[in-house]
Amino acid sequence: MTDQYELTSIFCAKPQQFAWFIGAGTSAVAGLPTAWDIIWDLKRRQYCREESQDISRQDVQLGAIRSRIQSYMLSKGYPAEGDPGEYTAYFQNIFGEDKERQRQYLTAFLSEDKVTLSIGNRVLGALLSTGRTRAVFTTNFDSVVERAVAEVSGRSLSAYHLEGAASANSAVSNEEFPFYCKLHGDFRYDSIKNLRSDLAAQNKDLSKALVNAANRFGFIVAGYSGRDESVMNLLRSALSTPNPFPHGLFWTGMKKAPVLPAVELLLEDARAAGVNASFVEVETFDALMLRFWRNIDGKELAIDAKVQKISRASVSIPMPGPGKGQIVRMNALPIMGMPGECQALTFKSPKEWSDLRTAASVNDGRLIFTKSDTVMCWGEEALVRGHFPDIVSVSPQDISAKIADTDNHLYIKQFLEEAMSHALVRDRPLLTRTTKAGSYLIADAHSSDQSALEPLQKAVGKTSGRMAGVFAPVDIEHPHAEQVSWAEALRVSFQIVDGRNWLLLDPDIWVWPPRARPEAGTFLDKRRGDRYNNVYNDILDAWLSVLFGKHDRKTAFKISAYEGGTSVETPSFTIGARTAFTRRLAS
């Protein structure tokens, strides 16, 4: 399973290795209607025509109106809501075989004046303009991608579509990049695909171009549900070729959104064919693309300014003086000293994140890794060489500049947080775990010496236990019921604010197994229900005592992830024990 952070590292290391397959979701963020909007507009038109009703597009946003229309459609034998055949069924009924009426309808519905490019659109335009992305395929009819390229770079981009499809495959073979292909046509032309008969199969020339690209690039799918059977068959057909998706197949979708069985089957078949294939949950298309853009090195300043629509300028605004209001304690500790270097590793064969996670696990956390275009590591060089027989070199790497710019190098942020966690739990009855959500320090119920946890026990009572009557869900990978356990925890994260480095501490509760956290919701709400103001303050003080013992708040502590080792092997931090504070500014 790949998460969005790992995908960011994989993509940003060599973006030229990936082609994109995009659907209506990427145009929806630019303000254009989605397939859902078109389907409901067609239903509305038919219902009003046959029942002599006056219902506006805005009215369709009301659930009661949609229920009335859908009930009518079901009574007439039309597909159930969400059925993959809805789109073509309603197009067929409204327009028949009249391609000119279809084109006129889509021209009005997908009008250029409705387009407001989002950050995600502009990033894709920048990737195409700068050669970082060489090929994009889409089922969309609109001109959002062309607009994005023009806005970001001032250049034009022509799309291969149903008219002039014969040269598409040659363009890929001859590396005539950037290559942009509209599999279902362009609404500005007559040859567009909307009807069931149209969509039963893809154009042969455009299909050859996609399969050709699938043997050259990894693919990232964005904004596409996978409802079109012919498209899914086309993607699946690439798996029978000699070198399918050589750099992986990553299907992105919204967090918590359902994944169609056709998508799951494609990814399973891809993995069976030896492809690194995963479904990747993301917040939004915009958030994913911005994350990619921020983590790409060497961005052109002019392009970057167009992408982010900002210009940086130095300003000097004097801060108001302190007022007389109440002082508010913050949950951040100053970091006064940071590691400046680590080890850069090169290998005879590329290393995936799974390889690095395995190395960290079998060495009991004595190795910490991150990866962009280079694999970076903290830990004994001898352990690294002992685990990887194909290692070519281990050399020092200066990371101080990337630490100062972690917004654009998120892989370094997680690297630092994991190292600080290892340093903070050393010689204490604590465990550390790093997930895609962050790094955590966890009270260790099995430690033989619990004395260091006494301050926390005074603040919260028990620091670990089992949740009565709560069990982890049973599934194929976990066939046996497992009672859920919990432990007091502290999430740690690194931030730079006003040019200063800070360690943020956020008390939390860890759940075992982590997949059972949704089932633990009631327990967590009850246990954390009163953790505000004075109670939160006491818990924060307790955690500081656990980490630093009895201490003067003016004291700074030097902590290291490992005992001994050189500066490139063992990251060290100097952390002040006095939290930041704030108060109302003078008016």
Side-chain angles (χ1 to χ4, degrees):
M1 184 69 177
T2 303
D3 60 35
Q4 60 181 323
Y5 310 108
E6 184 175 345
L7 179 58
T8 299
S9 296
I10 294 171
F11 176 79
C12 293
K14 291 187 178 179
Q16 295 90 344
Q17 293 179 340
F18 290 91
W20 288 80
F21 191 100
I22 60 175
T26 64
S27 294
V29 296
L32 286 179
T34 64
W36 185 93
D37 297 314
I38 293 175
I39 287 169
W40 275 103
D41 186 62
L42 295 173
K43 290 181 185 180
R44 177 189 68 85
R45 285 169 174 255
Q46 181 174 341
Y47 180 74
C48 290
R49 182 180 67 188
E50 296 179 3
E51 291 295 293
S52 188
Q53 297 290 313
D54 183 12
I55 297 174
S56 69
R57 287 180 183 172
Q58 289 71 30
D59 292 337
V60 174
Q61 301 303 315
L62 300 174
I65 298 293
R66 290 201 305 275
S67 295
R68 190 205 315 171
I69 295 175
Q70 185 63 33
S71 295
Y72 175 80
M73 293 303 172
L74 290 174
S75 73
K76 295 293 184 179
Y78 282 91
E81 185 174 1
D83 187 287
E86 271 195 303
Y87 184 87
T88 56
Y90 291 115
F91 247 100
Q92 179 76 50
N93 188 59
I94 294 292
F95 301 111
E97 302 289 337
D98 193 333
K99 295 294 180 97
E100 177 57 24
R101 287 181 61 213
Q102 292 181 41
R103 189 188 64 78
Q104 290 175 355
Y105 171 77
L106 289 173
T107 299
F109 213 76
L110 304 176
S111 174
E112 291 277 334
D113 59 14
K114 295 179 180 177
V115 174
T116 303
L117 297 179
S118 72
I119 183 70
N121 304 136
R122 295 196 299 274
V123 169
L124 185 57
L127 293 173
L128 282 163
S129 301
T130 60
R132 292 181 174 91
T133 285
R134 299 180 177 182
V136 175
F137 293 83
T138 185
T139 54
N140 298 343
F141 302 122
D142 57 65
S143 59
V144 169
V145 174
E146 296 98 312
R147 285 275 300 272
V149 169
E151 181 170 313
V152 169
S153 68
R155 302 173 188 170
S156 62
L157 175 69
S158 297
Y160 288 88
H161 48 80
L162 297 175
E163 298 191 14
S167 58
N169 188 46
S170 297
V172 175
S173 296
N174 296 330
E175 299 188 352
E176 296 173 11
F177 302 133
F179 176 87
Y180 180 43
C181 177
K182 295 181 176 180
L183 293 171
H184 288 174
D186 189 314
F187 69 81
R188 292 166 293 190
Y189 298 88
D190 289 337
S191 301
I192 54 177
K193 288 193 172 194
N194 285 299
L195 306 183
R196 184 178 290 108
S197 58
D198 296 330
L199 297 173
Q202 293 298 315
N203 175 275
K204 290 184 179 179
D205 293 307
L206 300 184
S207 297
K208 288 180 182 178
L210 187 144
V211 173
N212 191 350
N215 276 262
R216 294 166 175 253
F217 303 104
F219 264 56
I220 298 176
V221 182
Y224 182 62
S225 66
R227 292 186 183 279
D228 189 329
E229 185 177 357
S230 64
V231 169
M232 299 304 290
N233 288 337
L234 176 57
L235 291 170
R236 191 174 291 106
S237 71
L239 298 176
S240 60
T241 58
N243 188 37
F245 306 109
H247 303 289
L249 172 61
F250 302 99
W251 195 296
T252 67
M254 301 283 279
K255 287 184 176 180
K256 307 301 182 184
V259 183
L260 289 183
V263 174
E264 293 178 334
L265 180 60
L266 172 65
L267 296 175
E268 288 175 8
D269 289 347
R271 287 190 287 269
V275 176
N276 180 16
S278 288
F279 183 84
V280 183
E281 290 188 332
V282 301
E283 289 90 1
T284 63
F285 173 68
D286 283 347
L288 174 68
M289 298 303 283
L290 183 57
R291 189 184 301 278
F292 282 176
W293 187 248
R294 284 175 170 171
N295 284 274
I296 286 176
D297 292 329
K299 294 185 288 289
E300 301 78 0
L301 292 179
I303 295 289
D304 188 37
K306 291 290 185 65
V307 168
Q308 305 203 46
K309 284 196 169 181
I310 58 171
S311 58
R312 297 180 179 179
S314 298
V315 296
S316 178
I317 302 174
M319 293 290 288
K324 298 180 180 180
Q326 185 178 17
I327 292 176
V328 178
R329 185 185 194 183
M330 311 298 285
N331 64 328
L333 298 176
I335 304 176
M336 303 166 180
M338 297 279 290
E341 54 185 355
C342 66
Q343 298 167 107
L345 314 179
T346 57
F347 304 91
K348 291 180 181 178
S349 58
K351 294 292 175 278
E352 302 298 333
W353 273 103
S354 57
D355 301 319
L356 304 181
R357 283 193 287 263
T358 298
S361 177
V362 300
N363 286 284
D364 298 321
R366 290 180 294 165
L367 296 175
I368 303 171
F369 295 96
T370 192
K371 184 165 79 81
S372 58
D373 53 339
T374 304
V375 174
M376 288 171 273
C377 175
W378 278 312
E380 291 181 30
E381 181 178 339
L383 285 178
V384 178
R385 292 187 178 276
H387 185 84
F388 294 108
D390 66 334
I391 197 160
V392 174
S393 67
V394 179
S395 58
Q397 177 155 332
D398 188 335
I399 57 172
S400 53
K402 292 180 178 178
I403 290 176
D405 189 24
T406 52
D407 280 349
N408 289 319
H409 301 90
L410 293 179
Y411 59 92
I412 291 292
K413 181 177 185 293
Q414 188 174 26
F415 195 39
L416 290 170
E417 291 171 354
E418 188 170 355
M420 281 190 279
S421 297
H422 277 73
L424 288 166
V425 304
R426 273 189 62 204
D427 303 321
R428 296 173 181 82
L430 301 172
L431 305 171
T432 180
R433 296 288 185 270
T434 295
T435 72
K436 62 183 180 182
S439 291
Y440 294 82
L441 316 182
I442 307 163
D444 184 3
H446 303 290
S447 173
S448 58
D449 184 3
Q450 297 281 308
S451 59
L453 294 176
E454 288 180 5
L456 189 59
Q457 292 165 353
K458 289 180 181 179
V460 301
K462 290 180 62 178
T463 57
S464 61
R466 292 183 179 273
M467 298 183 194
V470 181
F471 292 87
V474 174
D475 55 30
I476 295 176
E477 295 181 3
H478 309 91
H480 303 294
E482 183 179 355
Q483 189 168 11
V484 179
S485 302
W486 64 274
E488 290 291 330
L490 186 71
R491 181 183 177 187
V492 298
S493 56
F494 172 75
Q495 282 196 18
I496 300 175
V497 180
D498 199 22
R500 298 180 64 186
N501 299 325
W502 297 94
L503 174 63
L504 272 62
L505 308 176
D506 186 14
D508 200 348
I509 296 174
W510 185 262
V511 173
W512 275 290
R515 63 189 171 87
R517 196 169 185 90
E519 285 70 27
T522 300
F523 173 89
L524 296 175
D525 290 344
K526 184 177 180 180
R527 184 162 183 86
R528 298 181 302 189
D530 65 342
R531 295 189 175 185
Y532 301 102
N533 300 331
N534 292 338
V535 175
Y536 186 92
N537 185 70
D538 291 343
I539 295 174
L540 190 58
D541 274 337
W543 271 109
L544 292 175
S545 296
V546 171
L547 296 177
F548 303 121
K550 293 181 179 180
H551 62 277
D552 184 335
R553 290 190 177 184
K554 296 180 181 179
T555 305
F557 293 85
K558 184 174 182 179
I559 58 175
S560 300
Y562 309 113
E563 185 176 358
T566 65
S567 61
V568 296
E569 293 176 316
T570 301
S572 296
F573 305 84
T574 302
I575 299 176
R578 186 174 194 170
T579 56
F581 64 89
T582 186
R583 65 181 174 186
R584 186 188 300 275
L585 297 173
S587 57

